[in-house]
Amino acid sequence: MRNLTELTDLIGKFEAIEPPLQGFIKSLHEKYRPLNEGVVSDYLPELAKANPDWFSICVVSADGKIYQAGDTDRLFTMQSISKPFVYGLALEDRGSEEVVRKIGVEPTGDPVNSILEHEELTEGRYNPMVNIGAIATTSLIAGSDPSERNRRLLEMFRRYVGREVSVDESTYISKKNKNNLHRAMAYMMLNFGTIAGNIEEILDLYCQQCSLMVNCRELAIMAATLANGGVNPITGERAIASQYVKNLLSVMYTCGMYDFSGQWAYRVGFPAKSGLAGAILGVVPRQMGIAVFSPPLGEHRKSERGVKVFEELAERFNLHVFHGVSQEVTVGRCERGFDRPPRRSDRAKLGNKTLSTPYLETEEERDRSGNGIHSPFQDFLEQLHQKYLPLRDGTPYLSEPDLVEINPDWFGICAVTVDGDVYAVGDYEQPFLIQSISKVFAYGMALSDRGRDYVLQKVDVEPTGDAYNSIVKVEESSKRPHNPMVNAGAIATTNLILGNSPAKRLNRVLEMYKRFIGHKVFVDTPTFVSEQHCGDRNWAISYLLRNFGMIEGSIGETLDLYLQQCSAIVNCRDLAVMGATLANNGINPMTGTRAIAAPYVRDFLSVMYTCGMYDFAGAWVYNVGFPAKSGVGGGIIAVVPGQMGIAVFSPPLDKRGNSVRGIKVFEELSQRFGLHIFDPTTSVDTFLQWMRETRT
C-alpha cells in the first residue's frame, strides 16, 4: 500500500532520478538483446514474420514522463492485450453488476484458448482474459449496429493511446479465416444462453480489436493511463471512469497472464497483460505504466525477454504491490542507495509505548477491546454486526454430528491495527477451529525452513478456480500441486516442515502460532481424532503426491500434523492479531515479537490474494481487494498491508466453504473505507491516519 502524498513526492523526483532510471532501462535492453531463447508465434502468418531481434522497453510515469530503450516506434498488433480495455468499455456500457453476472472473474489456471465444460460455462466460471470470456465481453459492447460498435471501440482506444488507431487488415483477415475455434466457443455460449446477438458480428469485432496497431511506447501510455486512475497522462483526457479502474486491474492481476498469472503475481506483483505478438503491458498503480515488446515467446507463450525485464524491474525498484509492507516503495530509492528510514512498525510501537522487549497487554488495555473504544470505525463495526446478525443463510461445517456445539448465531468482528489498537464487536472471544486458515502459516514455516526456491519446486502458486479439496489438481508437467491453499498443496507444504520427530514438528507449529498470536495455542483433540477417521480423500491426495515425488516420509505423520495444525483453537481476536502481524511486516504489534522473516511476508500476501478464497478468489479480489484466507470453522482472516488485520467469525458457510456473514462484512468494509489495493480514488495510509485521529 502506498501513501499518495509519498507517491506525489516520488513523481516530483523523477527529474532528479532520470539518469539512473533511464540508465537502468538501457542496461536491461543491452543485457537481454543478445538473448536467443523463445520462438516467434506462428499462430498467424503475420505474427510469424516478426524479427526475433525486435526488442523495446518503455516506462511512462503517471505524470507523463517517458523513459525508453530500443525501437519503441515499431508497430505491432495488440492481440490479447486489447481484452482488459474492451472489458472496461463493457463495464461502462453495462455496469459492473450486469457484466459480472454474465462473465465471471475467477482465474482458471488454464491456457488462453481452453474450451470449458458445460458446468463452467453455465456457472460463469471463466474470466474476460481467456478467449471465451473475451468473446463474451465483446458481445456486450453497446451500439445500434456493427459500424457504431466498431466506431465506439476505436474511440475508446484513441483515448488511451492519444491518437487514432487502425486495424492491420492482413492480420484481421488471417484471424477471421482462422476463427473456427473462436466460432465454436461463441456458438457453444449461444447454445447455453451465456451470450446473445449475431455471432459473426461479435467475432468480427473481436478480430478487429485484436488486430489494432500500436507501438511499445503507446502500450506504456495505456498502462500509465490505468496507473493514473483512468486519465491519459500525456493528453489529460479521461479514458475510463475511475470507478472501473480497480476492476480492470483486478482481473489483470489474477487472470491477465493466464496459466502464468500466479507466478507473475508472486514474482512481479502488479497487474499485467500479455499478447502473442510478443508484448507485455504492466501497471504499477498510482506510479507508472510499463511495456516491453519482443516477439520470441517462452514457456506459457509469454515474451521471453519481456518476462525477464519485468522481473528485474520489479526486483530492482521494489514494485511488487505487497513489497510496501516491508519497505518504502519508490523508484527513487535508487537515488538513495536503497536506504530507508526506520518505520514505526519496525520499532514495534503500541500506542505511545516504544517496545524494546516483548510486550504483553495489561488487563486494563485488554478492556479497551471491543465496546470500550469510541471511534467512527468502531461504530461502523457495530452497525455491520447489527445488520448481519439476523442473516440466516448458510450451513455450519461439522466433521462429525454432535461432536462439538456450534451456534449459528455466533458472530464476531475484530480489527487490529499495526499500532496495536483493537476494535471488536460481538463474539470475538468465542473459541473455534482455525481449519484451513492454518495453511497460510504452515506455508510460512515451510518457506522459513526450506527457502523460497525449494518450496516452489514442490508447490506452485497458480490459482485454479477450483474448490479447496479438489483431488486431481496437480500440474500436468511438473506434478506439483497448483498452490498451497488447496488441500493437495497444503499437505505438500506441511510435509516440508522440519523436526526430528512428530512431537517436535507439532511443537514447532504451536510455537509459530504463539509468535503470531501472542499466547499459547492448543489442539482440539476430539476434532483431530474425528478428522483422522474421516480423511480418506486426504490419504488419496497424499498417495498421489508421493507417487509424483512431491512428498516424502511417512504419510501418516504428515497427515497427522496437517490435521493438528487445522485443529488449533483460536478466536476472532487471535486471527485479527495474526493478520495485523502480517500487515506489520511480520512483527506482532501486541508483543513486539517477530513471527516471520520480513522477506517472506510478501509471499504470504501474494498467495492469500490470488488463492486464499479458493473458487471465490477472483470475486474476492474484484470486490474486496486485499489478501485473505477462509476456513470451514467460520473464520476469515484478512490483511490490509501496512495498516491492520481484520477477522470475522460466523459459522454458517456458503457453498464454497466461506462464512456468509464474513463475506458481507468484508465487502462493506472495503467499499465504505476504500480499502481495495487497486482503488485509485483512495489511500489506505490516510485511512489509518484517520483511525488514529478519530479514536478516543
Side-chain angles (χ1 to χ4, degrees):
M1 296 297 178
R2 298 163 176 83
N3 183 290
L4 289 181
T5 302
E6 291 178 357
L7 290 177
T8 301
D9 294 341
L10 158 67
I11 298 304
K13 296 175 184 176
F14 260 57
E15 290 290 352
I17 69 166
E18 180 174 347
L21 180 59
Q22 180 62 47
F24 187 70
I25 292 173
K26 182 179 179 181
S27 70
L28 285 178
H29 190 268
E30 292 174 350
K31 177 178 180 179
Y32 290 116
R33 185 174 55 189
L35 188 68
N36 188 27
E37 298 177 11
V39 178
V40 175
S41 173
D42 60 358
Y43 166 65
L44 298 174
E46 290 72 20
L47 296 178
K49 295 176 183 177
N51 186 332
D53 293 332
W54 290 343
F55 180 29
S56 53
I57 308 169
C58 187
V59 174
V60 177
S61 72
D63 70 344
K65 294 182 176 63
I66 300 175
Y67 309 86
Q68 55 191 334
D71 187 4
T72 56
D73 289 322
R74 184 177 301 280
L75 293 173
F76 51 87
T77 52
M78 292 184 71
Q79 298 296 330
S80 289
I81 291 177
S82 65
K83 293 173 181 177
F85 301 96
V86 177
Y87 183 67
L89 183 58
L91 288 170
E92 290 191 306
D93 284 352
R94 307 284 183 166
S96 59
E97 185 175 342
E98 179 179 346
V99 173
V100 171
R101 187 170 64 248
K102 293 178 178 294
I103 305 165
V105 291
E106 295 302 325
T108 65
D110 294 320
V112 58
N113 253 342
S114 299
I115 296 180
L116 305 182
E117 300 292 337
H118 170 236
E119 292 80 8
E120 294 174 306
L121 279 172
T122 55
E123 295 175 8
R125 288 163 53 192
Y126 51 92
N127 62 72
M129 300 297 102
V130 294
N131 285 352
I132 196 163
I135 293 168
T137 300
T138 301
S139 75
L140 297 178
I141 303 305
S144 58
D145 55 40
S147 178
E148 183 180 357
R149 288 190 287 274
N150 180 63
R151 180 192 62 76
R152 294 188 67 248
L153 192 75
L154 295 177
E155 171 59 20
M156 177 269 292
F157 279 111
R158 183 201 64 76
R159 295 194 297 270
Y160 277 103
V161 174
R163 66 166 177 86
E164 301 289 341
V165 293
S166 59
V167 170
D168 181 71
E169 289 296 328
S170 177
T171 302
Y172 162 65
I173 292 171
S174 292
K175 197 169 183 69
K176 282 193 68 174
N177 291 338
K178 196 175 182 178
N179 219 17
N180 291 324
L181 181 56
H182 294 160
R183 190 169 284 108
M185 291 177 178
Y187 277 105
M188 186 164 55
M189 287 189 288
L190 185 66
N191 175 68
F192 293 127
T194 54
I195 66 170
N198 185 302
I199 295 301
E200 297 305 318
E201 292 177 359
I202 293 169
L203 291 176
D204 187 79
L205 187 59
Y206 176 70
C207 290
Q208 290 187 60
Q209 75 184 51
C210 294
S211 303
L212 292 172
M213 299 287 286
V214 292
N215 60 40
C216 185
R217 183 174 58 254
E218 289 167 344
L219 276 190
I221 292 171
M222 295 173 74
T225 299
L226 293 177
N228 194 37
V231 176
N232 187 313
I234 305 299
T235 66
E237 184 176 9
R238 177 163 291 283
I240 183 172
S242 60
Q243 70 193 81
Y244 295 121
V245 171
K246 68 179 181 181
N247 303 118
L248 267 69
L249 298 183
S250 294
V251 295
M252 288 171 67
Y253 191 88
T254 57
C255 312
M257 303 295 279
Y258 308 122
D259 51 341
F260 189 62
S261 293
Q263 283 285 349
W264 181 273
Y266 196 81
R267 297 180 181 277
V268 179
F270 51 83
K273 187 71 193 76
S274 61
L276 287 178
I280 301 177
L281 168 152
V283 180
V284 184
R286 305 180 181 92
Q287 294 194 60
M288 69 191 77
I290 307 171
V292 178
F293 170 60
S294 173
L297 309 181
E299 190 179 7
H300 305 289
R301 303 175 80 186
K302 306 290 179 286
S303 170
E304 191 75 39
R305 293 188 182 103
V307 170
K308 294 182 182 299
V309 166
F310 271 98
E311 287 180 344
E312 285 215 28
L313 280 170
E315 181 68 24
R316 169 70 165 157
F317 295 120
N318 301 321
L319 300 180
H320 196 293
V321 293
F322 297 130
H323 190 92
V325 176
S326 58
Q327 201 163 20
E328 179 188 4
V329 181
T330 64
V331 178
R333 292 176 64 248
C334 65
E335 191 74 3
R336 303 194 305 274
F338 290 84
D339 63 324
R340 70 176 178 93
R343 286 169 52 107
R344 192 166 186 262
S345 58
D346 291 344
R347 300 191 299 272
K349 282 197 172 183
L350 175 65
N352 60 1
K353 299 181 179 66
T354 300
L355 305 177
S356 56
T357 57
Y359 174 82
L360 295 177
E361 63 179 347
T362 66
E363 286 301 318
E364 179 182 357
E365 286 165 328
R366 180 178 290 275
D367 288 341
R368 299 185 313 168
S369 302
N371 296 326
I373 290 178
H374 299 284
S375 78
F377 185 70
Q378 176 67 30
D379 292 342
F380 188 70
L381 294 187
E382 292 173 1
Q383 293 168 19
L384 287 177
H385 190 268
Q386 293 172 8
K387 179 177 181 179
Y388 291 115
L389 182 59
L391 188 63
R392 290 294 180 267
D393 297 344
T395 304
Y397 168 79
L398 287 173
S399 61
E400 187 175 326
D402 303 320
L403 180 66
V404 294
E405 176 193 358
I406 296 180
N407 185 343
D409 290 333
W410 285 337
F411 181 24
I413 309 172
C414 186
V416 176
T417 72
V418 294
D419 297 328
D421 293 333
V422 181
Y423 303 79
V425 63
D427 302 305
Y428 62 92
E429 292 188 319
Q430 172 62 47
F432 61 93
L433 300 177
I434 193 169
Q435 294 288 6
S436 289
I437 294 173
S438 66
K439 296 173 180 176
V440 177
F441 300 95
Y443 183 63
M445 286 194 71
L447 289 169
S448 298
D449 285 354
R450 306 282 190 163
R452 181 180 294 124
D453 292 340
Y454 185 84
V455 173
L456 284 173
Q457 293 175 20
K458 300 294 184 179
V459 186
D460 204 356
V461 290
E462 289 300 326
T464 66
D466 289 296
Y468 68 94
N469 58 355
S470 300
I471 189 170
V472 294
K473 277 298 178 182
V474 294
E475 292 182 347
E476 185 175 346
S477 56
S478 70
K479 307 305 180 185
R480 295 176 296 177
H482 276 276
N483 64 72
M485 300 297 101
V486 294
N487 283 6
I491 292 168
T493 298
T494 299
N495 183 255
L496 298 176
I497 295 174
L498 296 176
N500 295 329
S501 68
K504 290 181 179 179
R505 284 192 289 274
L506 174 59
N507 189 57
R508 292 190 67 234
V509 170
L510 296 179
E511 284 297 314
M512 175 271 294
Y513 282 146
K514 181 180 178 180
R515 292 194 300 273
F516 273 98
I517 294 173
H519 63 74
K520 286 186 176 181
V521 174
F522 301 94
V523 171
D524 185 69
T525 303
T527 300
F528 165 60
V529 173
S530 175
E531 294 283 1
Q532 275 186 312
H533 290 84
C534 302
D536 291 342
R537 178 183 290 266
N538 288 335
W539 278 93
I541 291 172
S542 299
Y543 277 112
L544 186 68
L545 293 174
R546 189 158 76 176
N547 177 68
F548 294 139
M550 292 298 109
I551 65 173
E552 56 188 27
S554 168
I555 288 179
E557 290 181 3
T558 295
L559 287 181
D560 278 352
L561 184 59
Y562 172 65
L563 296 176
Q564 287 165 338
Q565 77 187 38
C566 293
S567 301
I569 302 170
V570 295
N571 61 39
C572 188
R573 186 180 185 278
D574 292 339
L575 287 187
V577 173
M578 296 172 84
T581 300
L582 292 177
N584 196 36
N585 192 32
I587 297 174
N588 185 318
M590 312 304 289
T591 67
T593 301
R594 175 162 291 286
I596 185 74
Y600 295 127
V601 173
R602 190 185 79 179
D603 303 59
F604 270 78
L605 300 182
S606 294
V607 296
M608 288 174 71
Y609 198 54
T610 56
C611 311
M613 302 298 283
Y614 308 121
D615 47 342
F616 189 66
W620 178 275
V621 170
Y622 197 86
N623 295 317
V624 180
F626 45 84
K629 183 72 189 76
S630 63
V632 295
I636 300 179
I637 182 176
V639 181
V640 184
Q643 314 301 311
M644 61 183 161
I646 310 173
V648 178
F649 165 59
S650 174
L653 310 177
D654 61 20
K655 64 180 181 179
R656 297 182 177 91
N658 299 321
S659 169
V660 174
R661 292 189 183 106
I663 297 294
K664 298 284 188 184
V665 167
F666 278 108
E667 287 178 345
E668 287 215 28
L669 280 171
S670 179
Q671 183 176 2
R672 172 66 177 81
F673 296 108
L675 300 179
H676 197 295
I677 66 171
F678 296 139
D679 190 335
T681 64
T682 59
S683 168
V684 294
D685 285 352
T686 57
F687 169 69
L688 180 61
Q689 186 60 37
W690 170 81
M691 290 179 70
R692 290 167 176 160
E693 293 172 353
T694 57
R695 173 174 174 153
T696 60

